Amino acid sequence: MPVEFLGIAATNDGSETTPRSGAAFDKDYTLRLARAHEDHGWDRVLFAYGSGSPDPAPAAAYVASRTERLQILLAHRPNVSYPTFAAKTFATLDQISEGRLTVHFITGGNDHEQRREGDTLTKDERYARTREYIQLVKKIWTTREPFDHEGEHFRFHDFVSDVFPAQQPRPGVSFGGSSPAAYAAGGAEADIYCLWGEPLAKTAEQIDAVKDAARAAGRTDVPRIQVAFRPIIAPTEELAWEKARRTVGAIRERRGSGLVRHHRDGATGAAAPQNTGSQRLLAIAEAGERYDRALWTPTAAATGGAGNSNALVGTPETVAQALLDYYDLGVDILSARGYDLLDDAIDFGRYVIPLVREEVAKRDAEGAARGPRTLAAVGE
């Protein structure tokens, strides 16, 4: 099966290890980073969402109008706009990008972060709202006649959009989460299901949970699986591990200085994560630092399990083989983001992506060659 690579479309050069050097929306850097991905073999980039961050939709439109092939994954929280408005925004962006858009719907795993923009629903209520929201956006994208809706979270009457996506029948829907409620919602509605990098055995368990949820929802297909990592590569294993230790030191120093804003619990002030995905990352880190071929957890521990934070450490060859281990589980979208966003995107594109693509092509060719022989043997 084909393999795809997802990078990050940051609007400034800041990261967990380095404060940004300019404004939150640095137009020149945003485009430079996107073009670095396009020029070095990446398939798409994620425009992430944060409560106080630059709006990702116009940033994505800016990049889409100045690139040719790079696909866009736009993160969106259903609490920030009505689905009728959002569906039109997405359709317009898909037209601007000439069909390069996928939308990643974020339910929100932290009450405090959600309340920053007025969202007071409980986690379970948020998942129910997200599921209804996705269903409505899909319907708006594909319906040419006015319709009414009377749902649990949204109500409107006689609505029909006058702008439709370039992609037919619609853009892809991406979704993530590691709780039973997430599996149920994403298993029912997602075209792509996103996971954070965990050990192979635990990733396999999550993939099974997503597939089970899709079947329980009555689907005959299952979502494609995406897994995200923080690669730390160098020409030798020794240099890679030295780089990894420096990276963790920089993360700890930056967090210790108070320069990183935390998502704290409003009642206790504690920084313990509420979302299941982050809790899983911290539990895995507590159980051990190294797993499988190259998975390293101190980066996740140092960030408090914040988002995509488990690393793959080693030479390009080692990291490529580690990614292929996940491909063998059924993961066909590999998300990677370094700590020096621009230089790491270039290095990963130059030294890791070609190795993975070459091996995937080889395996696909071998599988195709074996297929007819197996069928012939069965028929004899």
Side-chain angles (χ1 to χ4, degrees):
M1 61 183 176
V3 64
E4 297 182 8
F5 288 90
L6 169 70
I8 191 69
T11 58
N12 60 71
D13 61 357
S15 77
E16 296 93 331
T17 61
T18 310
R20 70 179 191 235
S21 61
F25 180 53
D26 182 333
K27 186 172 68 173
D28 293 338
Y29 183 85
T30 299
L31 183 56
R32 186 181 176 196
L33 180 61
R35 286 179 171 165
H37 283 86
E38 183 169 63
D39 292 342
H40 290 88
W42 298 79
D43 296 285
R44 59 168 59 92
V45 288
L46 167 65
F47 287 81
Y49 189 93
S51 60
S53 301
D55 187 346
Y62 170 69
V63 166
S65 66
R66 288 161 177 80
T67 54
E68 297 179 358
R69 302 176 305 279
L70 192 66
Q71 297 178 53
I72 292 164
L73 180 59
L74 177 70
H76 180 76
R77 286 183 185 165
N79 62 291
V80 298
S81 68
Y82 219 68
T84 51
F85 175 85
K88 294 185 296 181
T89 300
F90 303 147
T92 304
L93 180 53
D94 198 49
Q95 290 287 345
I96 291 171
S97 68
E98 299 181 326
R100 288 181 278 153
L101 176 68
T102 300
V103 183
H104 180 67
F105 291 92
I106 302 173
T107 299
N110 182 279
D111 291 345
H112 184 58
E113 167 68 4
Q114 295 300 120
R115 288 169 184 159
R116 286 173 174 165
E117 293 189 284
D119 186 8
T120 59
L121 297 186
T122 66
K123 184 177 178 181
D124 287 345
E125 290 171 336
R126 291 198 297 267
Y127 274 112
R129 177 183 60 193
T130 299
R131 191 165 178 173
E132 183 180 347
Y133 197 99
I134 294 173
Q135 291 168 349
L136 284 170
V137 168
K138 287 179 179 178
K139 187 171 182 178
I140 293 166
W141 279 339
T142 57
T143 300
R144 265 59 178 178
E145 298 295 330
F147 69 97
D148 300 339
H149 178 75
E150 294 280 346
E152 180 181 359
H153 296 281
F154 305 104
R155 296 181 179 183
F156 54 83
H157 303 283
D158 198 39
F159 179 82
V160 63
S161 178
D162 195 33
V163 57
F164 293 92
Q167 297 176 76
Q168 292 299 314
R170 59 171 177 80
V173 167
S174 172
F175 189 89
S178 297
S179 66
Y183 298 144
E189 300 297 337
D191 302 300
I192 298 170
Y193 200 99
C194 307
L195 302 170
W196 290 333
E198 296 187 359
L200 290 165
K202 291 187 176 296
T203 300
E205 292 172 358
Q206 291 210 77
I207 292 173
D208 287 343
V210 172
K211 290 179 177 179
D212 289 345
R215 295 187 189 101
R219 292 179 60 170
T220 57
D221 64 339
V222 294
R224 299 173 65 194
I225 302 297
Q226 172 185 304
V227 177
F229 303 96
R230 306 301 293 271
I232 300 174
I233 61 172
T236 68
E237 295 291 330
E238 181 179 9
L239 289 173
W241 286 104
E242 289 178 1
K243 183 178 178 181
R245 287 188 285 271
R246 289 197 306 272
T247 298
V248 167
I251 293 171
R252 290 170 177 162
E253 181 178 357
R254 185 153 158 69
R255 285 177 66 88
S257 68
L259 295 176
V260 178
R261 191 175 191 189
H262 305 283
H263 298 323
R264 297 187 180 277
D265 181 272
T268 67
Q274 295 178 327
N275 62 305
T276 303
S278 292
Q279 293 168 5
R280 288 175 64 99
L281 293 186
L282 290 179
I284 291 166
E286 186 175 352
E289 288 193 356
R290 295 180 66 171
Y291 292 86
D292 304 321
R293 194 186 300 267
L295 190 72
W296 197 54
T297 65
T299 47
T303 63
N308 171 22
S309 51
N310 268 339
L312 292 177
V313 182
T315 63
E317 293 78 12
T318 296
V319 171
Q321 288 300 318
L323 292 169
L324 287 162
D325 291 338
Y326 288 89
Y327 175 82
D328 289 339
L329 291 180
V331 177
D332 65 346
I333 303 176
L334 300 168
S335 174
R337 172 164 56 103
Y339 292 94
D340 183 332
L341 301 180
L342 181 60
D343 288 346
D344 286 349
I346 293 171
D347 285 347
F348 190 87
R350 283 176 174 168
Y351 303 118
V352 179
I353 289 178
L355 295 176
V356 177
R357 291 200 193 280
E358 180 181 1
E359 182 60 28
V360 167
K362 178 182 176 182
R363 294 181 186 189
D364 287 349
E366 291 173 348
R370 285 195 303 268
R373 288 197 298 270
T374 302
L375 292 174
V378 171
E380 291 177 352

